[in-house]
Amino acid sequence: MSVPAISPSVLQTALEALCSDHSGFDDHFRRLPFAWPADGSLVNGDFLHPLFGADGADMDALVEHIYRSLIPFCLPRGEVKKVTKAALAAGDIHPIIALADRARELFVRTRGATTAGGEAGELILFLLLEALIKAPLLVSKMSLKTNSNMNVHGRDGIHLRYCPSLNGLVLHLGESKLHKGLAAAVDDAVSSIEQYLGDRALRRREFDIINGNMDLSGLDAESEQHLRAVLNPYASPPSPVHRTHTCFIGFEYGGYAKVAGIDSTKVEAEFQRVYARRAQTAAPLILEKSAKLPATTRLHFFVMPFPDVDSFRTTFSQKLGVQID
């Protein structure tokens, strides 16, 4: 089957336009200037940290910001656009409020009240992929989970983008791990990827889900036709699509205590200085642990420290209106 031709720049622009509005992202997520070791591997990443307020890392502000992503994370893009457009045209905000309520209820129901605090990592991963990488969500697994007959276990997120440097499409297969320790979080992520790569049935089921449930609402007809042809797992010959296992790694970090009490105008710069030293040891650790995966495995790590992981889980769950164990 021939794949309909399309200009790479047109495809890239069309895909990036599918990303939700994440205004304010740069006010809540800071990137640490850091160059990963050029060791020839396919491992890369970003070291991030939350916004600092007058009393240290502002976790309340972070929770409020990621909570705003519940609607595009949980609900199909086309439905959100249709309801929002009609509501704005009618000057009636109640349908939008109803969307937010349904997204929250879906998130809590599919995740379970006892684990919702840990699932904040999936929401952060979604936000980072769309706002930072410009890779829109391809499959809304949350909405699929309302169908109890559908097995949608697998990656924590499936996103898609066009990469000029690779001259092709990249599927970002998400992993989200939030642990007390950095090493444990990386181990958990690598183990999950290793299991995925070693399970053909799981991989086929994942791509069957993609093939049958791509959320391409908003794309022009040319781009949609091209993507459906390229991502068809039954096409012969199959089209080349790059796969990057993209991991959010959240861990508890004592560096916040080292900058406690510093003037609010200087604290973020001092924290970045302390955090940069940690990144110098964290990157080799991640590379070492990733070495157990096949050398052809593309990996991207978003590494983010928290002052207190349990406190973050609790704050997020309180925002959702649930309790966690």
Side-chain angles (χ1 to χ4, degrees):
M1 182 184 71
S2 62
V3 176
I6 189 172
S7 164
S9 62
V10 169
L11 184 60
Q12 180 180 357
T13 300
L15 279 172
E16 290 183 359
L18 292 185
C19 293
S20 301
D21 177 12
H22 298 294
S23 55
F25 172 83
D26 292 333
D27 294 329
H28 295 86
F29 290 87
R30 301 285 201 256
R31 293 172 77 179
L32 186 71
F34 183 81
W36 281 71
D39 64 344
S41 72
L42 299 177
V43 183
N44 210 325
D46 294 280
F47 286 93
L48 306 135
H49 68 83
L51 166 77
F52 272 80
D55 299 315
D58 195 337
M59 304 312 293
D60 285 341
L62 178 67
V63 166
E64 290 292 336
H65 184 69
I66 65 174
Y67 186 82
R68 287 167 47 187
S69 296
L70 265 187
I71 290 177
F73 177 66
C74 293
L75 303 178
R77 188 177 292 112
E79 178 187 353
V80 173
K81 183 177 180 180
K82 179 180 178 180
V83 171
T84 302
K85 183 178 180 180
L88 293 176
D92 182 5
I93 66 169
H94 292 94
I96 299 176
I97 294 173
L99 274 182
D101 288 343
R102 195 156 72 82
R104 176 201 165 276
E105 290 166 3
L106 181 60
F107 187 89
V108 171
R109 185 169 73 250
T110 57
R111 287 301 182 244
T114 59
T115 62
E119 303 306 335
E122 289 189 26
L123 201 52
I124 293 176
L125 177 61
F126 162 80
L127 188 56
L128 293 171
L129 277 165
E130 287 214 344
L132 203 57
I133 304 297
K134 302 301 180 185
L137 186 67
L138 181 62
V139 176
S140 177
K141 283 193 170 185
M142 278 289 180
S143 60
L144 293 181
K145 287 182 180 181
T146 58
N147 180 354
S148 59
N149 296 320
M150 180 172 287
N151 184 351
V152 294
H153 296 295
R155 306 305 84 196
D156 289 336
I158 302 173
H159 292 242
L160 180 70
R161 71 182 174 105
Y162 180 84
C163 178
S165 62
L166 293 174
N167 194 29
L169 290 168
V170 179
L171 273 173
H172 286 270
L173 306 176
E175 288 288 342
S176 170
K177 305 299 177 185
L178 189 61
H179 286 262
K180 287 279 190 178
L182 172 64
V186 177
D187 280 338
D188 196 2
V190 170
S191 177
S192 182
I193 294 169
E194 186 176 35
Q195 180 182 6
Y196 175 83
L197 293 175
D199 189 334
R200 181 182 181 277
L202 179 60
R203 296 196 308 275
R204 293 302 300 180
R205 185 163 62 247
E206 192 87 71
F207 286 99
D208 283 343
I209 290 173
I210 293 173
N211 186 50
N213 299 279
M214 284 184 275
D215 187 359
L216 300 177
S217 178
L219 271 186
D220 60 277
E222 182 186 22
S223 297
E224 180 173 351
Q225 184 182 13
H226 177 84
L227 290 175
R228 290 195 183 279
V230 170
L231 297 174
N232 180 2
Y234 305 107
S236 181
S239 300
V241 178
H242 302 281
R243 293 169 177 81
T244 297
H245 294 271
T246 309
C247 310
F248 172 72
I249 302 295
F251 70 104
E252 200 162 298
Y253 179 47
Y256 291 99
K258 295 180 181 179
V259 299
I262 294 179
D263 185 281
S264 60
T265 62
K266 301 176 182 178
V267 64
E268 186 169 307
E270 178 59 20
F271 177 80
Q272 288 205 352
R273 187 183 68 81
V274 173
Y275 186 25
R277 292 201 302 267
R278 183 68 180 98
Q280 291 291 344
T281 61
L285 173 73
I286 291 171
L287 289 170
E288 178 186 348
K289 291 182 177 298
S290 301
K292 67 188 296 186
L293 298 171
T296 55
T297 308
R298 292 185 181 276
L299 298 163
H300 192 106
F301 288 89
F302 293 116
V303 183
M304 185 166 173
F306 292 81
D308 186 317
V309 166
D310 289 338
S311 177
F312 171 70
R313 285 194 177 105
T314 299
T315 301
F316 181 72
S317 294
Q318 288 172 344
K319 178 63 181 177
L320 286 172
V322 300
Q323 291 184 332
I324 62 173
D325 294 339

